[in-house]
Amino acid sequence: MTADVLFTVEAFAEPGLLPRLLQPFAKRDLTPDHMLARREGEMLRVELGMTAMPAGMVHLVAGNLGQVVGVVRVTETRREALRAAA
């Protein structure tokens, strides 16, 4: 099974944050389909979206995002896709 997933990350705006947020994807050989970062005062809101992400990796990536230095909160929005992983 695959899932369409949007991770929303709230973190302190600091140098090096964005590459650290991509690391949980890269170490699983995944590439997000989109990434949007927006500064809100001292905080940064980052959205990382992926379609057809292997469902078993969603919670692993969410957990790793939450462990990144500076991250305050990770929200995961998921819609199960109607197709099985190929």
Side-chain angles (χ1 to χ4, degrees):
M1 289 291 289
T2 61
D4 295 339
V5 184
L6 177 66
F7 298 100
T8 304
V9 178
E10 295 176 39
F12 292 102
E14 52 189 42
L17 174 69
L18 296 177
R20 290 195 308 264
L21 292 178
L22 292 173
Q23 188 61 33
F25 293 91
K27 73 181 185 181
R28 291 176 177 82
D29 200 30
L30 300 171
T31 303
D33 294 311
H34 79 273
M35 180 177 179
L36 173 68
R38 181 175 49 247
R39 188 172 183 147
E40 299 173 349
E42 294 183 7
M43 301 299 286
L44 199 63
R45 178 182 299 268
V46 182
E47 295 179 356
L48 299 125
M50 190 165 179
T51 57
M53 182 177 198
M57 292 190 184
V58 174
H59 74 282
L60 297 173
V61 171
N64 288 148
L65 289 171
Q67 294 174 343
V68 171
V69 174
V71 170
V72 176
R73 181 182 334 185
V74 176
T75 306
E76 160 196 327
T77 306
R78 169 172 20 183
R79 186 185 70 179
E80 295 298 324
L82 298 177
R83 56 188 177 269

